[in-house]
């Protein structure tokens, strides 16, 4: 989808910005690793895409749905941890 492509194009910027907040980003795409993608999709019951799941110590803390500019994405992800 178009939004998935936008996130894919910005994933390095997003990863770097999250790292500044002590958060590691694991990016899984159906194009890059279909088996892992399908496993995680089932585990977290993901129905819409793109979907970002915010985890802390393996526990789901929240989700960021859809595409948004890098800074907005980072702010929303960091807010899920507080």
């Amino acid at each position: 989808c178009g939004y998935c492509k936008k996130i894919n194009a910005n994933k390095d910027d997003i990863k770097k910005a999250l790292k500044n907040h002590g958060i590691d980003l694991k990016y899984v795409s159906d194009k890059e690793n279909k088996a892992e993608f399908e496993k995680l999709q089932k585990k977290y019951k993901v129905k819409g895409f793109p979907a970002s799941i915010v985890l802390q110590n393996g526990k789901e803390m929240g989700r960021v749905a859809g595409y948004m500019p890098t800074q907005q994405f980072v702010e929303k992800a960091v807010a899920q941890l507080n």
Side-chain angles (χ1 to χ4, degrees), residues 1 50 56:
C1 77
Q56 187 171 48

Side-chain angles (χ1 to χ4, degrees), residues 24-68:
D24 287 320
L25 172 70
K26 178 176 182 175
Y27 178 81
V28 180
S29 165
D30 66 332
K31 304 259 189 267
E32 295 174 4
N33 189 334
K34 192 161 182 82
E36 184 177 13
F37 176 84
E38 290 175 350
K39 179 180 143 191
L40 292 172
Q41 179 185 4
K42 287 177 186 173
K43 179 178 180 178
Y44 292 105
K45 298 177 177 82
V46 174
K47 305 232 187 287
F49 301 98
S52 301
I53 301 169
V54 181
L55 304 172
Q56 187 171 48
N57 300 321
K59 180 182 175 200
E60 183 175 338
M61 303 302 288
R63 295 180 182 220
V64 179
Y67 170 79
M68 56 193 70

Side-chain angles (χ1 to χ4, degrees), residues 66-78:
Y67 170 79
M68 56 193 70
T70 299
Q71 188 58 38
Q72 188 179 354
F73 180 94
V74 170
E75 289 170 3
K76 194 160 189 168
V78 169

